[in-house]
Amino acid sequence: MKDVEVTTPELADRYLMQVGRRLPVTFVRGQGCLVYDEAGREYLDLVAGIAVNLLGHSHPDVVAAVAKQAGQLIHTSNLYFTQPQVGLARRLVELSFPSRVFFCNSGAEANEAAIKLARKWGTRHRDGAFEIITTTGSFHGRTLAAVTAGGQHKYSDPFKPLPEGFVHVAYNDVEAIESATSARTVAVMLEPVMGEIGVIPAEPGYLKRVRQWCDQHNLLLILDEVQTGLGRTGRWFAHQHAGITPDVMTLAKGLGGGLPIGACLANPRADVFEPGDHGSTFGGNPLACAAAATVLDVIERDGLVGHAAEMGELLHSSLQDLGAKQVRGVGLMQAFEFEGARAKPFQQACLEAGLIVNAVDEHSVRLVPPLILTAQQIDRAHGIMRKAAG
Ligand SMILES: Cc1ncc(COP(=O)(O)O)c(C=O)c1O
């Protein structure tokens, strides 16, 4: 392949489908929480590839694991067993709850698997019930079923007709779930903290009450932990804060340390897939699984779950003096909301000053940094944000 020596917005416009707006910067390398552009400028990265790079950029252990696995076996398909895949499944189950794992390549695919699983479960165990209750403002990915499950019209309306079987209710409102439940309902699907809409945490007691409702009415509880999972909120999984266990949990983002991998875990009650029901050519291939196993090892070895809780508190308090009307979040998943439409200019000012933050809309800024973020880096980020906030 010929190298494209200089990347310009014009070249990108010409050759890439225009599915989203990009910020005017081209990154060429990264190390830890720092990333560098074509001109060698350094940026402190509080977005981490949208909550992906839990160990920062190019963590040496991930680089070594990927290099080793790449030299040994990259891909086989799922017609055969591979040790990295079975080993990773075992690790995930041991870290979470008794379950089995389906591997795929992204969060949307993990949710797609969860939706199919729920529908099959409904056929088997709830007289053909198929409706899934999800929440307004939620985000579950961009496949047709996932945008329909997600509660944001801007992502689904252009693609009508949408698959049937999704009912949206307000987040943090158990009564709304109760009223929406009918004989057609098969599952409730939630994010423990709504991420993409701007970090809206579940209120205390919400997840527990939804769990009880699902138990009383023989519904599956599906938790989308694609963004909240794997230490991000200061626990391995966000549902652990609420002292509950889902029937089905989806993971992706941080799992592969930057390599694409997703996972859908289901407990024995929900695990109704049989050979032929579902599949993926690349899902859980040895390369992605070797990277993911290393991510889990390093999180554990370096105590990064506790570190994320500690740094999360520090980050949260450092955001209090930016003139935002609200600061919200759990662990290293934080956001703040300006009164006026200031988020995009703020993001641009931070970028120009060497700090990466994520304006999720006109008002709110999201921070989902690597779990290895240090107190000094929070200080540095705070200085830049103070100036950008004016
Ligand atoms: C909670 C949640 N679920 C699903 C997804 C979709 O993941 P992916 O982009 O890997 O398909 C995202 C991505 O932002 C997410 O935040």
Side-chain angles (χ1 to χ4, degrees), residues 50-52 105-111 138-143 146 189-197 224-228 250-253 261-262 333 366:
I50 320 186
V52 166
N105 311 286
S106 67
E109 281 174 80
N111 287 327
S138 63
F139 185 82
H140 298 295
R142 303 295 199 121
T143 62
M189 179 171 179
L190 297 173
E191 291 171 79
V193 180
M194 290 206 292
E196 197 265 355
I197 191 84
D224 177 344
E225 294 241 22
V226 165
Q227 190 162 157
T228 53
T250 55
L251 299 172
K253 285 201 182 278
I261 182 168
M333 188 171 178
R366 171 175 54 167

Side-chain angles (χ1 to χ4, degrees), residues 40-119:
R41 277 198 73 206
E42 180 180 286
Y43 301 78
L44 177 56
D45 184 1
L46 299 193
V47 179
I50 320 186
V52 166
N53 303 313
L54 298 177
L55 307 183
H57 295 273
S58 295
H59 190 283
D61 292 32
V62 176
V63 172
V66 168
K68 183 169 174 227
Q69 188 62 47
Q72 206 170 311
L73 187 69
I74 294 179
H75 178 78
T76 60
S77 86
N78 285 305
L79 293 174
Y80 319 98
F81 298 110
T82 65
Q83 186 282 325
Q85 187 182 106
V86 179
L88 179 63
R90 180 179 180 172
R91 288 278 280 129
L92 284 174
V93 170
E94 285 169 358
L95 284 170
S96 56
F97 53 91
S99 53
R100 287 196 294 197
V101 187
F102 169 77
F103 284 113
C104 50
N105 311 286
S106 67
E109 281 174 80
N111 287 327
E112 193 79 24
I115 292 164
K116 287 178 70 175
L117 195 63
R119 286 196 172 191

